[in-house]
Amino acid sequence: MGKFTLIDDEALDSIIEKDMNTIVDQFQNDFGENICSMVLIGGYGRGEGGVQIINDKNMPKNNYDILLVLNKAGLFSRKKIQKQLVSLKNKINQQQLLSNLLEVTFISKFQAKTVPSIMIYQDVYNSAKTIFGEKIQ
């Protein structure tokens, strides 16, 4: 079993790790010290990410889902942050900086620590991979 998929393929894991590093670098440039944590959620976060074969090589198939946890994301700045996120996501996807497409959402550190104990959040807390910053619990 691989780190991000059900396939044991070091080259595939390396591609995805490189993509995660690119994502972290891009977001650090835009959000800097306001980033508390970046979490890979969804299939790749659970180690069940999709794989496709391109030119006899295993490659990521589905998009990367990232949860960005910000130290500060007050009501008045949420629209600004959302605009900034959409712009950054579009830049990353359009410039094809990754082997895959990126989806991203955000919450504040306060929200992350106070969300109700429902299944979607349990998936984040128990199965996802923290790619930067502190692990949210």
Side-chain angles (χ1 to χ4, degrees):
M1 194 164 133
K3 189 173 180 181
F4 304 97
T5 71
L6 297 175
I7 296 175
D8 188 16
D9 182 341
E10 288 183 23
L12 176 61
D13 282 347
S14 180
I15 290 167
I16 297 171
E17 284 175 349
K18 181 179 177 238
D19 286 347
M20 294 303 108
N21 291 334
T22 298
I23 291 168
V24 168
D25 290 345
Q26 292 292 315
F27 277 80
Q28 280 187 308
N29 287 340
D30 273 35
F31 290 92
E33 292 182 14
N34 195 21
I35 299 175
C36 170
S37 183
M38 295 181 68
V39 184
L40 178 62
I41 59 177
Y44 292 105
R46 289 188 304 273
E48 304 169 348
V51 178
Q52 60 186 339
I53 299 173
I54 299 176
N55 298 325
D56 295 323
K57 186 176 173 182
N58 288 325
M59 295 294 292
K61 180 179 181 183
N62 301 328
N63 62 327
Y64 299 126
D65 299 306
I66 301 293
L67 175 64
L68 178 65
V69 182
L70 298 173
N71 289 312
K72 296 179 182 174
L75 289 175
F76 297 109
S77 60
R78 292 187 76 76
K79 283 186 181 181
K80 181 181 174 189
I81 292 168
Q82 187 61 42
K83 253 181 153 174
Q84 194 176 356
L85 272 182
V86 169
S87 175
L88 182 56
K89 179 187 85 162
N90 289 342
K91 176 185 128 186
I92 290 169
N93 287 337
Q94 288 169 357
Q95 292 181 1
Q96 297 180 344
L97 298 177
L98 308 174
S99 66
N100 215 343
L101 291 176
L102 173 67
E103 288 297 328
V104 63
T105 191
F106 76 97
I107 60 175
S108 71
K109 182 177 180 178
F110 174 78
Q111 288 173 304
K113 293 186 181 279
T114 59
V115 293
S117 182
I118 56 177
M119 188 180 351
I120 191 162
Y121 294 112
Q122 292 307 311
D123 186 42
V124 170
Y125 296 139
N126 298 322
S127 304
K129 290 179 177 43
T130 301
I131 61 171
F132 178 80
E134 65 184 71
K135 183 170 173 59
I136 301 299
Q137 295 185 17

